[in-house]
Amino acid sequence: MQGFLGGVAGLAAWLGARPAAQRMGLAAVFGGATVLAMPPFGLWPLLFITYPGLVWLLDGIAPDASPAPQAPDVSSRFAGWPATAATAWAFGFGFFISGLYWIGSAFLVEADAFAWMIPFVAMILPGGLALFFALAAVAARAVARRGPARVIAYVLAFALAEWLRGHVLTGFPWNAAGYALSVSDWLVQATALWGLYGHTVITLLIALAPALLAGPGIAPGRRHVAAVLCLALGMPVLLYGFGAWRLSGPEPVDVADVRLRIVQPNIAQKDKWRPELRAANFSRLLRLSRAEDDAAGITHVIWPESAPPFLLADNADARALIAHMLPPRAHLITGAVRAEPLPRARPDGRWARFFNSVMVLDSDARILDVYDKAHLVPFGEYLPAQGLLEAIGLQQLTRQRGGYASGPGPRPMSVPGAPSVGPLVCYEVIFPGSVVSDQRPQWLLNTTNDAWFGNSIGPRQHFYQARMRAVEEGLPVIRAANTGISAVIGPKGQVRAILELGQAGVLDQPLPAQIDKTIYSRNGDTIFLIMIAVCVLTILYFKVSKSKV
């Protein structure tokens, strides 16, 4: 045991003694490696290396070596903050550039117009998101630099930073730390209690536990080894146990008399809107959707985001073909772009507002209900300061001049012959706690088009985030994706059926029933806030008691 503890202390000392350039390089490597702990890889034990490695790198910056330090003034609390911020920023940059590299694929779909932007996107987006890590590290070191209090301070600061990242400037909670414990059916179940951000606190406690074995103010003994074992091993075992118990219960019966056909046409993004291919692309949708006989008993056909390559509401011929394709009394639920005429043309010549929508059509192809996407993708579906950036020649990736308009927010849609559905267009499914309104639907439908990102980890990350929403809310999630991943996900996150990336085909499946509202769906982030309060009280306890660990 002493040899092991000595080795950990030696590693921590070596990392803390690295010069600035090496420290930032190692931080970036640790950040990049952390992506392997996230979906779709799921190698979460790597967190025992990467997060403690970052803390030990930070420990070496302006360390307070005094055995009994006096209460520092404000300036001393932030001593060394530039190096702290730079090191944590490097970790975040490595993490985001490795985990979000696939976004560059979208700029190659129309390379002649957008490829020049890739270097800027590759630097600006990861660099901007990495600022959350920098802010968190500076705040944590201002709160506590020694002993176990510093570990809890990092848990507190990184968890709050992830929450901020999910909310600031419309939010982008992609690959938040809590997703590391989501690949397993068992480990993800606890999100029914506390959601993504509560899972992030638990994940960080587990990941940072080894930092209790070495660092400023640490004199390791049996107590710390026991604490590390409880956090690093005991907590995952408890999560596994809770998940196994929750999944051992009976599954709800499927919704009676509902049979879904989920269509995945697998149309490449570069071909989707080409005028000469639109008829062929629409014919593919119809061919896959058409039931060859009545034995399938299809009641609802589901198409992915913006599936028709034209304005469906304005195309009577296309709707006639849909009516011919649908079985009697069946309905189509499809993603579609729609236009809403303006009273008069705007100065820039625009005559309509455009929406990225979900439509419900009956067997006569009459449009019964429409949902308009509310949470739009910056630079994909709209430009911040749209008029100014368009004036200097920039466009969003969809090339829709003026961008898309946003809808009022989540709401259930009425679908004849099926329970009410909560539509979520693409990106909207990644926001925990924001996927249902006060009027709770009985299932969630995620229409998406991840063809922009090719055969990369991006669509797979998106899938796992959608699956967590099912567990959090206790609602089944049906995914219809243009190129994948389409799936039927039960209300406990179990995948009933799946079409992988790059496959064309259909899923004929019953609709899983919902389960009772989860603790998270009832209380939102309340447990997360309680966890944050417990972290604050724990730090205060260590600081008041001046415990030596």
Side-chain angles (χ1 to χ4, degrees):
M1 178 63 71
Q2 290 302 317
F4 170 74
L5 292 175
V8 173
L11 174 61
W14 183 84
L15 289 171
R18 292 307 87 203
Q22 290 185 25
R23 185 171 62 239
M24 289 189 66
L26 285 167
V29 170
F30 285 142
T34 301
V35 172
L36 298 176
M38 311 297 290
F41 308 105
L43 303 177
W44 65 266
L46 279 174
L47 298 177
F48 293 140
I49 298 172
T50 60
Y51 271 95
L54 172 62
V55 170
W56 289 326
L57 288 169
L58 295 172
D59 282 341
I61 299 171
D64 180 6
S66 170
Q70 300 298 315
D73 60 19
V74 172
S75 62
S76 64
R77 285 186 183 276
F78 289 94
W81 75 263
T84 297
T87 302
W89 180 89
F91 180 94
F93 185 77
F95 176 71
F96 289 115
I97 201 169
S98 299
L100 299 177
Y101 73 88
W102 46 269
I103 290 178
S105 301
F107 293 84
L108 294 175
V109 172
E110 295 186 60
D112 57 330
F114 296 109
W116 65 271
M117 297 176 64
I118 290 178
F120 298 95
V121 173
M123 295 296 293
I124 292 173
L125 180 61
L129 293 173
L131 293 174
F132 288 99
F133 278 94
L135 176 64
V138 171
R141 279 174 55 87
V143 170
R145 293 187 182 182
R146 299 173 59 81
R150 90 195 197 291
V151 174
I152 305 302
Y154 281 117
V155 172
L156 172 65
F158 286 140
L160 287 173
E162 293 286 44
W163 185 91
L164 285 172
R165 180 160 69 90
H167 292 82
V168 171
L169 298 177
T170 77
F172 188 64
W174 199 280
N175 253 16
Y179 284 116
L181 301 182
S182 71
V183 173
S184 160
D185 283 354
W186 297 275
L187 287 176
V188 76
Q189 294 304 311
T191 59
L193 304 175
W194 47 55
L196 169 63
Y197 297 116
H199 221 47
T200 293
V201 175
I202 299 299
T203 301
L204 291 169
L205 281 169
I206 294 169
L208 286 163
L212 292 169
L213 296 177
I218 299 287
R222 292 181 179 178
R223 285 187 304 164
H224 344 26
V225 173
V228 171
L229 290 176
C230 284
L231 292 173
L233 298 180
M235 290 184 74
V237 168
L238 288 175
L239 291 176
Y240 272 114
F242 175 79
W245 169 79
R246 191 166 188 264
L247 291 174
S248 67
E251 283 290 302
V253 297
D254 295 328
V255 176
D257 302 321
V258 176
R259 184 80 175 173
L260 308 177
R261 169 161 289 180
I262 303 162
V263 178
Q264 182 168 299
N266 193 36
I267 298 170
Q269 187 61 34
K270 64 182 178 63
D271 297 330
K272 182 174 175 62
W273 296 96
R274 289 172 58 183
E276 69 273 20
L277 295 178
R278 287 182 182 178
N281 291 341
F282 188 62
S283 294
R284 181 186 297 191
L285 280 166
L286 295 172
R287 185 175 64 254
L288 289 169
S289 304
R290 188 175 292 112
E292 296 181 359
D293 55 55
D294 293 333
I298 302 301
T299 61
H300 299 83
V301 177
I302 301 177
W303 288 356
E305 178 185 12
S306 60
F310 38 70
L311 296 176
L312 181 61
D314 298 342
N315 194 319
D317 291 339
R319 295 200 311 277
L321 291 172
I322 289 173
H324 179 72
M325 172 272 295
L326 285 171
R329 296 179 298 281
H331 291 77
L332 172 68
I333 310 174
T334 181
V337 176
R338 77 175 187 92
E340 185 177 274
L342 294 170
R344 64 181 65 86
R346 293 182 178 178
D348 59 8
R350 281 178 280 165
W351 56 271
R353 295 194 305 164
F354 291 88
F355 296 86
N356 190 354
S357 303
V358 174
M359 297 180 178
V360 178
L361 286 74
D362 66 10
S363 56
D364 294 323
R366 292 174 297 193
I367 298 172
L368 305 180
D369 199 0
V370 175
Y371 165 82
D372 296 322
K373 184 178 182 181
H375 211 138
L376 302 177
V377 180
F379 299 97
E381 293 172 312
Y382 77 99
L383 293 176
Q386 183 92 30
L388 174 62
L389 293 183
E390 283 187 342
I392 62 174
L394 294 182
Q395 302 177 69
Q396 62 273 352
L397 289 173
T398 55
R399 281 185 176 268
Q400 179 58 59
R401 182 160 179 80
Y404 284 100
S406 60
R411 68 168 182 86
M413 294 181 75
S414 297
V415 181
S420 63
V421 58
L424 299 165
V425 181
C426 188
Y427 179 72
E428 290 183 309
V429 82
I430 75 171
F431 294 93
S434 300
V435 296
V436 300
S437 64
D438 293 338
Q439 296 176 287
R440 179 177 166 86
Q442 296 183 49
W443 55 294
L444 299 175
L445 172 62
N446 181 208
T447 61
T448 188
N449 177 25
D450 292 342
W452 290 95
F453 310 113
N455 187 11
S456 68
I457 63 174
R460 295 175 172 90
Q461 292 169 343
H462 196 192
F463 168 76
Y464 279 102
Q465 293 177 65
R467 188 177 78 135
M468 188 178 281
R469 302 294 87 79
V471 182
E472 289 172 343
E473 299 292 341
L475 295 173
V477 172
I478 308 302
R479 290 195 94 226
N482 175 20
T483 55
I485 301 170
S486 298
V488 175
I489 304 169
K492 296 181 183 179
Q494 294 169 299
V495 179
R496 302 276 194 90
I498 190 168
L499 276 172
E500 295 288 356
L501 274 177
Q503 296 180 4
V506 300
L507 295 175
D508 290 347
Q509 291 287 313
L511 174 64
Q514 65 175 335
I515 59 176
D516 291 339
K517 293 181 71 173
T518 64
I519 291 175
Y520 178 75
S521 67
R522 293 177 187 275
N523 300 292
D525 286 328
T526 299
I527 295 181
F528 165 69
L529 295 174
I530 292 171
M531 290 176 173
I532 293 299
V534 170
C535 287
V536 171
L537 292 174
T538 303
I539 293 168
L540 290 174
Y541 166 78
F542 282 122
K543 293 176 79 68
V544 169
S545 65
K546 295 182 171 61
S547 293
K548 295 290 171 55
V549 179

